[in-house]
Amino acid sequence: VELSRRFAAGYDKLSDQPDVQEVFNELSIYQDKLTALHLKDQDVRTIGEYGKFRTFCRFLTHLIIVFFTFPVATIGLAWVAPIVLIATYKAKKEMKIAKAGAPTTKDKGLDVVASKKVVVGGILVPLFYVLYLGIGILIAELILRNETSKLAEVLRWAIPVGIAIGLPIYLKVGLHAGDKMRQSIQSILRLQTILFSSSVATELKNERKKLHEKVLALVNKHFHEFDFPERVVNFENEQKFLSSFTDSM
């Protein structure tokens, strides 16, 4: 983060320099390629550090995670989908209003989206909880309305209590499963490029190496403007150097 801050500050001072523009244009093209392939710079940086077998095992592990989390996540997400859709709609409306006469990023309403979602979600969650609880009680009553056994009497209060206690727990588990599934799908998309498109992976690896050298030379040339305390002789021990820039673009 600190490297990115200093580099961005230096770029503001040197953005009209041809060599700086050239490097940043190449960084943008490189980042666009990563985005199109669902990759991160860290993925390119670590190509070759893991063997094919280990990479395939990671790929298979994420497939298994998706397989087992999909049913739980899908049902859980279906329960919360109305809340998410309504909160997102309200937040976007607020953002459009905030953007009306606002020059800065903050005033444009990007921060309004998150705060509005929290406010709307805080109102909708208890309302939908009561709604789902009421639906559960109604369904239980319809099913058991002609039953007079002791079991039916027990179920008439056990089902609402079960829904009241179990629904929040299930939704929490479902959301967690959905998050794990999302992360695994992203990993699958990244790993499949490394596994099944070796020529593309090699090309990106070579491109990253050239960019690494150009960024290093640029920082050494303009290290005063980049607010670095001294010239950077070698970044081999700072393997995340380029990642800090591409990840912040």
Side-chain angles (χ1 to χ4, degrees):
V1 175
E2 180 64 16
L3 286 173
S4 300
R5 185 194 66 77
R6 292 180 177 182
F7 202 83
Y11 178 71
D12 289 339
K13 301 176 185 177
L14 302 167
S15 58
D16 59 338
Q17 297 290 327
D19 55 346
V20 176
Q21 291 178 354
E22 179 185 356
V23 170
F24 264 81
N25 288 337
E26 292 183 18
L27 279 172
S28 297
I29 294 171
Y30 171 71
Q31 182 61 42
D32 289 342
K33 290 180 181 179
L34 296 186
T35 302
L37 293 169
H38 306 282
L39 291 171
K40 294 181 179 180
D41 182 71
Q42 181 181 355
D43 300 316
V44 180
R45 177 171 57 83
T46 56
I47 289 176
E49 293 184 10
Y50 306 104
K52 286 283 185 181
F53 178 74
R54 185 176 176 184
T55 302
F56 178 76
C57 287
R58 292 170 60 202
F59 180 81
L60 186 62
T61 299
H62 287 295
L63 280 177
I64 293 171
I65 291 173
V66 171
F67 178 80
F68 283 104
T69 57
F70 179 78
V72 179
T74 303
I75 297 172
L77 291 173
W79 283 95
V80 300
I83 300 173
V84 174
L85 291 174
I86 294 172
T88 302
Y89 172 75
K90 291 287 187 181
K92 285 183 177 180
K93 282 188 67 176
E94 287 292 326
M95 186 174 70
K96 287 180 181 179
I97 295 172
K99 274 185 175 181
T104 66
T105 301
K106 182 176 180 181
D107 290 338
K108 280 181 179 178
L110 297 181
D111 60 326
V112 172
V113 174
S115 59
K116 188 64 177 180
K117 283 182 179 179
V118 172
V119 173
V120 175
I123 297 171
L124 292 177
V125 168
L127 289 178
F128 272 83
Y129 175 72
V130 173
L131 174 64
Y132 291 148
L133 182 59
I135 292 173
I137 294 172
L138 179 61
I139 292 173
E141 188 59 34
L142 289 174
I143 294 173
L144 300 171
R145 62 182 175 180
N146 295 323
E147 298 291 334
T148 57
S149 64
K150 289 184 177 180
L151 177 60
E153 291 299 323
V154 172
L155 289 176
R156 279 192 175 89
W157 63 264
I159 290 176
V161 171
I163 294 174
I165 298 174
L167 183 59
I169 296 173
Y170 180 81
L171 290 180
K172 183 174 178 61
V173 172
L175 290 174
H176 180 69
D179 189 53
K180 293 292 291 184
M181 184 179 72
R182 178 186 58 80
Q183 293 176 10
S184 289
I185 290 173
Q186 290 175 343
S187 296
I188 288 169
L189 292 173
R190 295 199 299 267
L191 291 171
Q192 63 90 20
T193 301
I194 297 171
L195 274 174
F196 307 117
S197 303
S198 57
S199 59
V200 175
T202 302
E203 180 183 339
L204 285 173
K205 184 80 171 179
N206 293 333
E207 184 175 351
R208 186 189 189 279
K209 183 179 179 181
K210 292 177 182 178
L211 275 173
H212 182 273
E213 293 171 353
K214 286 186 177 183
V215 171
L216 177 64
L218 187 68
V219 172
N220 279 333
K221 180 179 178 181
H222 302 288
F223 73 97
H224 286 303
E225 290 84 350
F226 288 122
D227 195 27
F228 289 116
E230 57 185 6
R231 288 175 59 84
V232 182
V233 178
N234 194 336
F235 265 108
E236 291 304 317
N237 294 326
E238 293 287 349
Q239 289 295 314
K240 296 183 180 179
F241 179 66
L242 185 58
S243 301
S244 67
F245 303 135
T246 57
D247 291 345
S248 64
M249 292 179 66

